[in-house]
Every structure is written in structure tokens, then in C-alpha cells.
């Protein structure tokens, strides 16, 4: 037990180091942009009216302090970390004076809900079909289904998204093709609102599931095909153990360990969003927010989104590392 706790502490230290280096690199890269946020904000504010030079200078000093841009880059870096540890990412440049954290957490539930549901559905479908296809290798139906999903796998998300948009938006218009809910909808929590949100998420989720299920199927089928040749599976078959129990308890249980690692990585990357898919369907998630921030030169928002993504992926890797010895006794905590 002591060795495992030392292992967890060491991995946690690596987590903190990865987050620190990743966010630091993002900070310096975003600050290399030629955009001057103070000048941009003053330009927007004074675009339609003349302002007193003293008022502009006072505004410049206030905005410089508000954005944490006092002093040189190193001083700004120290100020950034002190604010970040307090949960303060500063105001958005494109939606001034709305805080960056407020904008991110407004869009985050959309991406998290879409990505978690799509990832889990594709994981379950892909692994179930992959296990069956790997164990019942002579089944024609499973071969056809596998071929179809594997054929969809190399297609980019946005190509499949466009196909679904044309098919269900114009050829057979039964599903909404844009937005997260109906325009002018009552946003009070109700069954009708939840149903409306689910309807708007079907096409984006379907695009992700159809492309993602193929990769899970391929991996699970390969793992299952190797495991069915193991001695303990052969002995179980010779001992008269039922095929359903062999598949469930002997094959799938062992094949799922590396797949669960991939699932944790996929769930950690949900904070990245699926940028192009969200843009195609006009979905109000992190991906759409990131593109809008880049176009507006809002590096405060870009930095906040990048930091969130780094933390999410780093935590996913950390959880994989500390849970792997518990899930698979063949892995030692060292």
C-alpha cells in the first residue's frame, strides 16, 4: 500500500509539472500575437464617439491593470499565475467586460454533454460489435456491419457532418440542423426544453458516433482475436463452458483494459471540443467559442480555453496511471 501511495504522489507531481509547463507555453505563445488588447478595446469604445484625451489615458491605465498587462512579460506572467490560481482569467476582449471564466462555463456544458454522450455511445457500440466480430469470426452479418463502420472511420468528421446535414436537413428534414435549441425558446428548465436540446444534439452526436465507433471496433476486434487463441480460453471451451460466458468473462474482461485507457484519454479530451463539427451545426460549445475567439483576436479567451484543455487531458492521464494497477494486476505501481 505504501508503494502505491508513493506511486500516486509521484504521478501527481508529474501532473502538476505538465499543467504548469503546458499553460506557461500557451501563455508565451498567445502573448506573441501582435494584437494589443488595450488598443483594440479603446478603439471599439471610441469608434462611434469622440472622447477626451485624459479620459482615454485613464481608460488605458484601467484596462492595462484589468488585463494584467502592467510591466514586462515576466511580470505579466507572474500576474497571470496569481490570477489564475484565484480562478480569475480576466475579461474577454471580444465580449468586454464579461469575464472569460463566465463565457467558458456558459459554453462548457454544451460540449461536455455532447462529447461525453457521443464518446460513451461510440465506445459501447464499437466495443460490443468488435468483441462479437472477433469471437464469432465467421458471422457474415458482423462482417458487413464491421466493414460499414470501418469504412466510415477514415472520413473526416466535417465531411460526414455535411452529409448528415444535407440528408436530414434538406432531403428528409426531420431533425434540426443548427443551434442548441429552438430560437426564442423558453430556457426555463422543463421536459420540453430538455427534449428540444436532445433533438438538436442528435446530428452532431451521430456524426461523432459513426466515425468514432469504427476505431473502437477495430481495436476491440484485434484484441479479441488475440485473446481467443490464449490457452485459458481454449481450456474453457474444452471444459464445456458456454460461449456467452467465455466471451463475457474470459475475453471481453481482458480486452477492455487497454480500451478503458483509450476511453479515459477520449474523455479527458472533451474539453477540446470537436471544433469543425460544432461549427457545421452551429452548436454553442467550446469549439465554436474557440473559433470565434481566434477570429476576434481574443487571446484572453483562447488562453483560458487552452488552459482548460491542458488541465483536462493531464487529469485524464493521471487517472489512467493511478487506476491501471488497480484494474489490471499485471501492471505494477512503480
Amino acid at each position: 500500500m505504501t508503494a502505491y501511495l508513493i506511486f500516486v504522489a509521484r504521478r501527481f507531481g508529474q501532473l502538476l509539472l505538465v499543467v504548469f509547463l503546458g499553460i506557461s507555453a500557451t501563455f508565451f505563445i498567445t502573448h506573441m500575437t501582435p494584437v494589443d488588447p488595450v488598443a483594440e478595446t479603446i478603439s471599439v469604445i471610441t469608434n462611434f464617439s469622440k472622447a477626451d484625451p485624459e479620459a482615454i489615458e485613464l481608460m488605458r491605465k484601467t484596462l492595462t491593470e484589468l488585463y494584467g498587462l502592467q510591466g514586462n512579460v515576466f511580470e505579466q506572467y507572474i500576474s497571470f499565475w496569481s490570477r489564475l490560481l484565484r480562478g480569475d482569467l480576466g475579461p474577454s476582449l471580444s465580449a468586454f467586460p464579461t469575464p472569460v471564466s463566465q463565457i467558458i462555463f456558459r459554453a462548457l456544458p454544451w460540449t461536455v454533454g455532447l462529447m461525453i454522450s457521443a464518446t460513451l455511445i461510440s465506445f459501447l457500440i464499437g466495443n460490443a460489435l468488435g468483441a462479437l466480430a472477433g469471437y464469432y469470426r465467421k458471422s457474415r452479418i458482423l462482417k458487413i456491419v464491421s466493414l460499414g463502420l470501418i469504412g466510415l472511420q477514415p472520413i473526416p468528421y466535417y465531411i460526414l457532418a455535411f452529409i448528415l446535414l444535407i440528408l436530414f436537413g434538406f432531403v428528409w428534414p426531420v431533425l434540426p440542423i443548427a443551434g442548441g435549441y429552438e430560437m426564442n425558446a423558453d430556457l426555463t428548465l422543463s421536459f420540453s426544453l430538455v427534449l428540444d436540446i436532445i433533438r438538436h444534439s442528435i446530428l452532431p452526436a451521430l456524426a461523432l458516433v459513426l466515425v468514432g465507433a469504427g476505431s473502437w471496433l477495430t481495436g476491440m476486434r484485434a484484441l479479441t482475436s488475440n485473446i481467443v487463441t490464449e490457452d485459458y480460453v481454449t481450456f474453457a471451451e474444452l471444459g464445456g463452458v458456454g460461449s456467452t460466458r467465455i466471451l463475457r468473462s474470459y475475453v471481453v474482461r481482458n480486452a477492455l483494459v487497454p480500451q478503458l485507457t483509450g476511453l479515459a484519454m477520449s474523455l479527458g479530451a472533451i474539453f477540446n471540443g470537436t471544433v469543425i463539427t460544432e461549427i457545421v451545426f452551429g452548436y454553442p460549445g467550446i469549439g465554436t467559442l474557440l473559433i470565434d475567439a481566434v477570429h476576434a483576436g481574443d487571446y484572453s479567451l483562447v488562453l483560458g480555453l487552452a488552459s482548460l484543455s491542458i488541465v483536462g487531458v493531464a487529469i485524464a492521464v493521471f487517472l489512467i496511471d493511478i487506476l491501471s494497477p488497480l484494474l489490471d494486476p499485471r501492471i505494477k505501481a512503480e
Side-chain angles (χ1 to χ4, degrees), residues 270-333:
I270 63 175
F271 297 101
N272 298 333
T274 305
V275 178
I276 300 179
T277 301
E278 290 187 1
I279 291 295
V280 170
F281 292 105
Y283 203 73
I286 294 295
T288 302
L289 185 62
L290 178 61
I291 294 297
D292 292 341
V294 171
H295 287 165
D298 190 348
Y299 74 73
S300 295
L301 186 52
V302 172
L303 182 56
L305 292 170
S307 301
L308 181 66
S309 175
I310 291 169
V311 172
V313 174
I315 290 177
V317 174
F318 170 71
L319 293 177
I320 292 170
D321 285 341
I322 65 174
L323 292 178
S324 293
L326 302 178
L327 296 174
D328 190 350
R330 296 171 295 181
I331 299 176
K332 294 183 178 181

Side-chain angles (χ1 to χ4, degrees), residues 4-326:
Y4 180 73
L5 293 177
I6 295 174
F7 167 76
V8 172
R10 187 184 300 118
R11 290 294 185 269
F12 184 72
Q14 294 176 355
L15 164 68
L16 297 179
L17 180 61
V18 168
V19 170
F20 173 75
L21 294 177
I23 294 179
S24 297
T26 305
F27 171 85
F28 288 110
I29 291 173
T30 53
H31 277 66
M32 291 179 184
T33 176
V35 177
D36 183 351
V38 175
E40 289 286 330
T41 305
I42 292 176
S43 175
V44 171
I45 294 175
T46 61
N47 191 31
F48 299 102
S49 62
K50 293 183 179 180
D52 183 71
E54 294 183 1
I56 293 178
E57 186 60 29
L58 179 61
M59 187 187 305
R60 186 183 303 278
K61 291 181 180 179
T62 303
L63 291 174
T64 300
E65 180 180 355
L66 190 62
Y67 290 141
L69 299 177
Q70 309 99 316
N72 55 36
V73 175
F74 180 74
E75 292 173 339
Q76 295 175 26
Y77 176 69
I78 299 298
S79 175
F80 164 75
W81 272 107
S82 65
R83 296 171 64 174
L84 182 63
L85 293 176
R86 299 195 305 268
D88 179 14
L89 296 172
S92 167
L93 309 185
S94 57
F96 182 84
T98 308
V100 167
S101 56
Q102 181 177 334
I103 297 176
I104 291 177
F105 287 112
R106 190 187 301 159
L108 187 60
W110 295 97
T111 293
V112 170
L114 175 65
M115 294 295 293
I116 285 182
S117 52
T119 301
L120 291 178
I121 292 172
S122 62
F123 176 81
L124 294 174
I125 293 176
N127 281 288
L129 291 175
L132 292 172
Y135 190 73
Y136 301 104
R137 285 170 287 185
K138 296 182 180 180
S139 173
R140 292 184 178 180
I141 296 177
L142 290 173
K143 286 181 180 180
I144 294 173
V145 173
S146 300
L147 183 62
L149 287 178
I150 294 173
L152 292 174
Q153 182 183 351
I155 301 177
Y157 285 109
Y158 63 93
I159 297 296
L160 189 57
F162 279 124
I163 294 174
L164 292 175
L165 188 149
I166 294 172
L167 180 61
F168 292 102
F170 298 97
V171 178
W172 188 32
V174 294
L175 291 172
I177 61 175
Y181 48 83
E182 288 293 338
M183 189 178 297
N184 300 323
D186 183 7
L187 299 183
T188 304
L189 183 60
S190 62
F191 177 76
S192 59
L193 177 62
V194 173
L195 186 61
D196 188 28
I197 291 174
I198 293 175
R199 289 183 66 249
H200 279 77
S201 67
I202 290 177
L203 286 183
L206 184 60
L208 299 174
V209 169
L210 289 177
V211 175
S215 61
W216 293 116
L217 185 150
T218 303
M220 191 63 173
R221 188 178 64 176
L223 291 168
T224 302
S225 298
N226 290 329
I227 291 175
V228 294
T229 61
E230 296 288 340
D231 292 339
Y232 60 85
V233 176
T234 303
F235 291 153
E237 291 174 343
L238 294 175
V241 180
S243 59
T244 302
R245 183 179 177 185
I246 291 176
L247 178 63
R248 182 184 67 250
S249 302
Y250 291 79
V251 178
V252 174
R253 187 173 180 180
N254 289 285
L256 269 180
V257 174
Q259 295 293 82
L260 289 174
T261 301
L263 175 63
M265 290 293 295
S266 299
L267 292 177
I270 63 175
F271 297 101
N272 298 333
T274 305
V275 178
I276 300 179
T277 301
E278 290 187 1
I279 291 295
V280 170
F281 292 105
Y283 203 73
I286 294 295
T288 302
L289 185 62
L290 178 61
I291 294 297
D292 292 341
V294 171
H295 287 165
D298 190 348
Y299 74 73
S300 295
L301 186 52
V302 172
L303 182 56
L305 292 170
S307 301
L308 181 66
S309 175
I310 291 169
V311 172
V313 174
I315 290 177
V317 174
F318 170 71
L319 293 177
I320 292 170
D321 285 341
I322 65 174
L323 292 178
S324 293
L326 302 178

